[in-house]
Amino acid sequence: MTKFIICNWKMNLGNQDSIEFLNQIEMKSLNNDHQFIICPPYTSLGLVANNLKSKESDWHLGAQNCSDQDKGARTGDISAAMLKDLGCNYTILGHSERRQYHQESNESVKGKALKVITHGMIPIICVGETEEDYIQGKTIDVLTEQLSGSVPSNQCIVAYEPVWAIGTGKVPTIKEIETVHQSIDNVMQDLGFLNIPIVYGGSVKPDNINQILSKPTVSGVLIGGASIQPESMNAIIKEVCL
Ligand code: PGA
């Protein structure tokens, strides 16, 4: 089964840095078992799209957010149609940083996901518990609420990203990741959504990626910090592709 390697650049790598970064990445050594998806900031999408095309790369392009509206008086927003037009196949939605800093609700994530699907792209819908939820044993309750509220159909990827694991170097045990992914799959089945890929995100690095990817319930990874340094990105490619 193809595994997704989703690179979330967050608010990093402007135009020049993006190109310098891509020129240092060893895309040639790739095999077909992995689908790489780069999600740069909006401002670098066009340039990254052209760069991938000029290299005849099979890496895909994704955005990090989009509007839940089609067009009109939404200053500063970007629509799903605009992203599709730039060559995006995927859009990350409901990342915990957006839920935290932009008060994004499950309802709004669902609205955005519907627009993404309508425009022929795949939403990557993020869910995850805080450290407090985790300590109190509320992980599954929190995830169930987020999933029921924000996933509109089976045409999506779910990203399990424990908030306490993002950018911290802390990672759940493999057993915990497997158990949570199984629970997410159960919730999806209860909602009538079958065979949804579930990827893991939170402090994925070259030295833990293969162990995480080796589990059948893990359909891929979402990588933040390690995806913006050429050295660690090349190390990741080497780990998973060679
Ligand atoms: P991280 O971020 O890999 O830096 O922990 C992951 C994410 O936020 O998607």
Side-chain angles (χ1 to χ4, degrees):
M1 191 183 58
T2 302
K3 302 239 176 182
F4 297 96
I5 313 290
I6 307 164
C7 304
N8 177 11
W9 287 3
K10 308 194 180 183
M11 197 168 67
N12 297 293
L13 305 185
N15 275 339
Q16 193 167 332
D17 290 343
S18 299
I19 299 309
E20 274 172 27
F21 174 88
L22 290 174
N23 286 342
Q24 293 177 69
I25 295 303
E26 290 156 27
M27 293 186 190
K28 282 200 200 85
S29 56
L30 304 186
N31 59 31
N32 290 329
D33 297 339
H34 301 89
Q35 177 60 67
F36 281 72
I37 303 164
I38 302 191
C39 305
Y42 286 142
T43 50
S44 301
L45 278 171
L47 213 66
V48 171
N50 288 338
N51 188 277
L52 294 179
K53 213 183 268 172
S54 72
K55 292 188 169 122
E56 296 182 8
S57 162
D58 59 0
W59 287 26
H60 283 196
L61 190 68
Q64 300 174 18
N65 180 38
C66 83
S67 173
D68 61 0
Q69 301 295 311
D70 285 324
K71 62 177 178 176
R74 298 282 160 165
T75 304
D77 283 350
I78 303 288
S79 71
M82 292 169 177
L83 298 176
K84 182 69 184 169
D85 199 34
L86 278 172
C88 289
N89 297 115
Y90 299 86
T91 303
I92 297 172
L93 294 175
H95 189 282
S96 61
E97 287 150 16
R98 295 210 58 86
R99 291 179 188 263
Q100 182 184 352
Y101 301 127
H102 297 273
Q103 290 74 46
E104 280 195 5
S105 64
N106 291 325
E107 198 186 0
S108 129
V109 174
K110 190 183 215 168
K112 293 174 178 200
L114 283 168
K115 294 293 178 196
V116 167
I117 294 166
T118 303
H119 287 89
M121 298 179 287
I122 297 176
I124 301 163
I125 300 177
C126 302
V127 294
E129 80 285 5
T130 63
E131 186 148 41
E132 198 184 345
D133 297 328
Y134 173 73
I135 291 167
Q136 292 177 358
K138 292 186 187 158
T139 299
I140 303 306
D141 289 346
V142 169
L143 296 180
T144 303
E145 194 185 327
Q146 291 177 339
L147 292 163
S148 323
S150 53
V151 178
S153 81
N154 63 349
Q155 291 170 276
C156 72
I157 294 173
V158 168
Y160 169 51
E161 297 209 299
V163 179
W164 53 272
I166 295 176
T168 59
K170 293 191 232 169
V171 181
T173 63
I174 294 296
K175 187 93 210 99
E176 283 174 319
I177 293 174
E178 278 192 288
T179 309
V180 173
H181 279 223
Q182 189 56 60
S183 303
I184 291 174
D185 193 48
N186 293 344
V187 174
M188 291 288 91
Q189 286 191 39
D190 288 347
L191 291 170
F193 305 149
L194 308 182
N195 301 320
I196 293 195
I198 304 163
V199 303
Y200 168 80
S203 295
V204 174
K205 306 272 183 252
D207 61 5
N208 61 15
I209 190 165
N210 270 342
Q211 198 191 8
I212 296 170
L213 286 176
S214 70
K215 300 298 167 195
T217 55
V218 177
S219 300
V221 287
L222 180 44
I223 313 168
S227 76
I228 57 168
Q229 305 293 341
E231 304 76 32
S232 52
M233 195 57 211
N234 278 331
I236 283 169
I237 293 168
K238 216 167 174 184
E239 285 294 326
V240 300
C241 294
L242 298 182

